Each structure stands twice: as C-alpha cells, then as structure tokens.
Amino acid sequence: MSDASVKSSVPMVDAAGVSKSFGSNEVLKSITLQVQPGEVMCVIGPSGSGKSTFLRCINHLERVDAGRLSVEGELVGYRQKGGKLYELKPSEAALQRRDIGMVFQHFNLFPHMTALENLVEAPIRVKGISRSDAVARGRELLAQVGLADHANHYPAQLSGGQQQRVAIARALAMDPKLMLFDEPTSALDPELVGDVLDVMRGLAESGMTMVVVTHEMGFAREVGDSLVFMDGGVVVEAGTPRDVLSNPQHQRTKAFLSKVL
Amino acid sequence: MSDTQRPDGAGIPPTPSGGASGAGPTATGALPTERAEAIKAVKLRHPWRIAIAVVLIVLLVLFVLDAAQRKAFGWADVGKYLFDTRISQAALITLELTVYSMIIGIVLGLVLAIMRLSPNPVLKAVAWLYLWVFRGTPVYVQLVFWGLITLIYNTIVIGIPFVHTWATIDITWIPPLFFISVVGLSLNEAAYMAEIVRAGLLSVDPGQEEAAKALGMSWWQTMIRIVIPQSMRIIIPPTGNEVISMLKTTTLVAAVPFTLDLFGRSRDISAETFTPIPLLIVASLWYLFFTSILMIGQYFLEKRFARGTTRGRPVVGEPNDPASAAIMGGAGGVR
Ligand SMILES: Nc1ncnc2c1ncn2[C@@H]1O[C@H](COP(=O)(O)OP(=O)(O)OP(=O)(O)O)[C@@H](O)[C@H]1O
Ligand SMILES: [Mg+2]
C-alpha cells in the first residue's frame, strides 16, 4: 500500500532540526524527519517523549523555537523574506491549519452540536461552503465512518469509538492534505478500538498522508509505511515498521518495545 | 445488579426459596423470576415534624387573619392603587431600567472578561482596576456620584493637555436622570458580570478551543461559535440571579435622584395621600410579580442551555469528563 516509493519532489512534512522548549524544559531536541505524500508514519515512544508536542508543531498549535518545519514546502508559522523570518498573522496561520486535519486523544467534539453540525461547522464558517453542500458532504463522510444514522446525535449520546469516528470525519470535512492523529484510540474501551482503526486503515488505503502517534503496534506494523521511535525529545530510531519492531538497533527502543509488545 | 448480590442482607427477609439463593453468591443463575417478598414494616413516625408543622400553620393563619383586619395595612387603598396608571407606568420604568442596565452590563462584562483573559498585561490591569473600583464601592455611593457628574465635568477643553488650550466648550446638555441611572447601574453591573462571564469562559475545556483552531477557525469564530455557547450553561444561572437582583437594586436610583421608578413613584404618591403602608405593599406586589416571572424564565433558559450535556445517557470516556479522561488517558499510557 506504500505510495511513498513514488517519491514526489516536495515532502509533505519536512522537519529539520526542529526544537521546542517549555521554559527550561527542552521537549523537542532537533527533530529531523520527512513524511512523503501518501505516506503513513507512525510515531511511538514513552509518555512525555514529545510526540504530541511534535504533532502540535506541525499545525502550529505550538511555536517552533529552532530549526525549520515546513508542510508541502511551505514554512509553518513563518514567512521567509530576504533571509529574515516573519511570524505569520493569526489569520495566515489559520489558513495553513485548515489544510491539516487533527484528531485528538479525547475527541474534542463540540458537545453543543450534533454529529452533523460538528462536521459542517468549519467548512461553512472557514471555507465559505454553502450549507447544503456542506451537509451533503457531511452525510457522505458520516456514512464513510459507518455512522450514517447518527447524524443527529449529540456527542454525549455516542460511544467513545463513535465520537472518535465523528471527529475523524470532522477533520476530513475540510478536505485536508495531511491528517495528524494523537493517540486516537488511547481513550477508548478495548472493544471500540477496532472500529476506529478500520476507519484509519481505509483512509490510509485511499492515499491520505498521515502522521499517527499510537500505541497500537499491530496498526503500525500493518498500515504504517514508516515508524519513528521517540524518547526524551529526540528521534532514537526510524525505519520501516517491520525493521524497527522486529529488529530494533538501540537499547532504548528494545527496552520500550519489550514493555509494550 | 440483582437483589441476591447485595452486600448487606439485613432487613431483607429470606426468600421463600432460600436454598436456591444460597447455592452460591457467584452463581450467575440467580433466577430473575423469584423476586424477594415485599417489605411490610410499620412506618417510622415523626411526631416532632408534625408538631412543628402544626405550630407554623397555626401561626401563619393567625397572622393572615390579623393582617386582614388591621387598619394600618389599608387593604382598600392597596386595591385602589395596585392598578393605578401612575403605578403601572412606574413599573414599566423599573422594567426599562432593569433591561437596559442588564444589557449594557452584560456586554461590558463580556468585554471586561475577555480583557482579563487576554495575554496583554495592560488590558488585564485595566480590567482588574475597573473591577476593583466598582466592586469595592457601594452602588448607592456610585449612583450619587453619577448624579453629580455634571458638577465634575462641565467643560470640554480642546488642546494639548496641561500645555495649551485652544478652546473651552461649556457642556450645557444635562443628561436625563433616567440616562444617568442606567449608566450608574450598568457600570456597576458590568463588574459583577465580568466575573460571571470569566468563570463561564474558563469552564470550557481548552481542547475545544484547540479543536476549533485546528479546523482553521479564527479566534473570533471560536469564541462566538464554540466557547461562548458552551460557557452559557455556567453563565446563565448566575445571570438570572443578577437580573432579579438588578430589578430590586433599581430602587436605589433615588440616590441619583431619579424618582419615576416603581418605588420612587409609590413614595411620592404616599407623600400626598399619607398612606405609606398600602403603597409599600402595592410596590412589593409588583416587584414580587416581576421576580416570579423572571424565575420562571430562568428555569426554561437553564433547561435550554443544558443541551448536549444532559440529553441521553452519560458515556464513559466523554471528552468533558475530566475524571474519566484522566483514568482512561492513564490506562492508555501504560499499555
Ligand atoms: N503547554 C505546555 N507547557 C509546558 N510543558 C508542556 C506543555 N505541553 C507539554 N509539555 C511538556 O512537554 C513534555 C512532552 O509532552 P508531550 O505531550 O509532547 O509528550 P507525549 O510524548 O505526547 O506524551 P504522552 O504519551 O503522555 O501523550 C512533557 O514533559 C510535558 O510536561
Ligand atoms: Mg501525547
């Protein structure tokens, strides 16, 4: 399923020496990696290793302190002019974000809106799509995630797995070129995980570029084109899922895998 | 959970088929058809409760019978003035004072709340100063101040402050006392509304703002569409109380002095007729009528804004439930 072999000239995500600190706490220490269009990259690592922070940097929910981070060749959060970097205005940053979908561990659905309303909100307000078009597309996406008859349910009336699938559909409603998943199944009861992973698998097969922080090693092995192991803010090891999982090179990777596998 | 699994069987008579239920507490085959015998016990009596209730009812009846025939209450006058046009017009003015002051107070309170939450330290400090002054002084004193405002600010000076004056214009416009009353009440109210709104905005899960941001929504869109609607559940109940409280606080506009409101008007009338007590009762009945209506309105508003949070069953792993989120997040990390 790997489209990554057909390498496009511009990587979807290009991180070079990306660093980020919260006060004196250096959370990301010079992260360098690339995600090619159509690639599914899984990111694993112990708690606090900076996985979420890295994802949040990709769509500029966090500011990068050092290094360069670009999406489809476009610098995230900054504009380069005459060798100088200028911070983007909030409206410009918002423009970059709308092409990048994000799925959160705790779904973060809008609880005062039905599933369908959750899906049409941003396309209507941000992209200016007509309500009828947005609703049609929203129903299509709900059907795609297997929730066609839950359009008028509020999030509180849905199970965790259903909520997460609505959240994925909500991100897809913006027609993103890149999807970021931050531990999408960690908050779910075990029997609900499968439905969400199935939706993600389908998305990967359709050629979506995805960066997935996950503890689901089975998913990483089957669906991932590449696997990155992070620890202490650095990329310790990266490669194909098969190589990293069955033949880890570093002691830290071995120690981590022995705990989770 | 079936009855047979209760940890404490005290008070529950043994089932007729005691042998079956004793087969084993872990047995899943507890027959659902065999229900335990209903409890027939002598109800516990509460003699003191009854005694106190009787005493209270007797006292109340005595008070009503006594009040009905007391001359000083002047019930005939109460009936006469209750629907007097001067009184009903004054009631309308009290309503207008309440509505205008609350609307301005809410809008200004929202602005102050957002200022307090803004990352700009100057905006924060100004909002804090405002709250400090307006919450730290009695509203009665503030109203007297606003009544005297034209004595303090009676000219407009055009020029460079403290350096040069080009022109001085006398302010001849004297604002109507109604206007001054609304200003005084609403500026004071804004300080209280700011705290209510702030608590409401802070109650919304930060993940909500994040999700909206990730979808490319602007700060303004996020506020209007996502954060403020969700904060309403927290903001509405105390705001309802503020409206009711404002309705009663309007009586203080006498400090301005503005006297066309319900209380001021009824006192003016009684000054002519020498019947203060019936008119106090008339005013009180009107205030009670309005507050009762407001309480009913508040009840329905609260129901309306609980939307999406109380409907349907509670779900484990619901994003706004920090307890379950913490538990499940923890479990996820260990896995
Ligand atoms: N907004 C913030 N302010 C201060 N410190 C933060 C902030 N966000 C994250 N951190 C810190 O950065 C470090 C990395 O956090 P991050 O959430 O990226 O880790 P993670 O790999 O996603 O872990 P987990 O598996 O628990 O989600 C942690 O030590 C955390 O305390
Ligand atoms: Mg994380």
Side-chain angles (χ1 to χ4, degrees), chain A:
Chain A
M1 66 191 66
S2 157
D3 296 337
S5 50
V6 195
K7 281 203 176 172
S8 151
S9 54
V10 183
M12 183 58 80
V13 179
D14 190 357
V18 168
S19 303
K20 169 78 192 167
S21 304
F22 291 109
S24 59
N25 180 13
E26 198 177 8
V27 176
L28 297 180
K29 301 168 189 161
S30 191
I31 301 278
T32 298
L33 56 79
Q34 288 190 346
V35 184
Q36 302 302 331
E39 179 178 343
V40 176
M41 175 183 279
C42 293
V43 182
I44 59 171
S47 182
S49 56
K51 308 180 297 289
S52 299
T53 306
F54 180 64
L55 273 198
R56 294 161 53 80
C57 285
I58 295 177
N59 71 351
H60 201 47
L61 288 174
E62 300 287 358
R63 245 188 78 220
V64 172
D65 296 333
R68 288 285 189 277
L69 179 61
S70 50
V71 172
E72 261 194 341
E74 201 181 325
L75 218 48
V76 174
Y78 298 93
R79 190 185 323 105
Q80 194 155 19
K81 221 166 109 187
K84 255 188 171 174
L85 284 186
Y86 296 88
E87 254 183 74
L88 290 187
K89 282 188 280 185
S91 58
E92 295 168 320
L95 210 61
Q96 286 187 335
R97 269 188 212 112
R98 68 187 216 183
D99 292 337
I100 304 173
M102 182 139 188
V103 175
F104 301 89
Q105 183 175 359
H106 296 293
F107 332 135
N108 298 2
L109 287 178
F110 306 133
H112 58 304
M113 299 179 179
T114 64
L116 187 61
E117 284 167 356
N118 264 278
L119 262 66
V120 301
E121 179 68 20
I124 292 174
R125 309 272 154 193
V126 178
K127 284 191 148 179
I129 291 174
S130 77
R131 174 163 286 275
S132 56
D133 287 355
V135 165
R137 175 84 177 119
R139 289 195 184 280
E140 209 174 280
L141 284 166
L142 281 177
Q144 189 183 322
V145 299
L147 294 170
D149 39 351
H150 291 72
N152 296 324
H153 285 53
Y154 284 88
Q157 296 168 308
L158 299 171
S159 76
Q162 291 170 331
Q163 289 187 57
Q164 191 61 297
R165 284 183 280 154
V166 172
I168 293 173
R170 178 177 69 177
L172 292 175
M174 291 296 283
D175 284 322
K177 56 191 179 193
L178 168 66
M179 286 284 286
L180 309 174
F181 294 83
D182 191 358
E183 302 196 31
T185 57
S186 295
L188 299 180
D189 289 343
E191 74 269 23
L192 303 176
V193 168
D195 291 339
V196 172
L197 291 183
D198 285 345
V199 167
M200 292 170 62
R201 187 174 289 122
L203 202 56
E205 277 162 8
S206 75
M208 176 63 76
T209 314
M210 296 162 56
V211 182
V212 186
V213 174
T214 186
H215 293 293
E216 298 293 333
M217 297 305 163
F219 178 85
R221 193 194 303 267
E222 287 167 39
V223 182
D225 297 309
S226 56
L227 184 65
V228 168
F229 172 66
M230 278 179 72
D231 192 6
V234 297
V235 173
V236 175
E237 196 160 346
T240 65
R242 185 185 303 272
D243 287 347
V244 177
L245 291 179
S246 44
N247 188 20
Q249 301 298 312
H250 288 262
Q251 201 49 50
R252 279 197 278 178
T253 319
K254 282 178 194 160
F256 177 75
L257 288 178
S258 71
K259 265 185 275 174
V260 296
L261 285 181

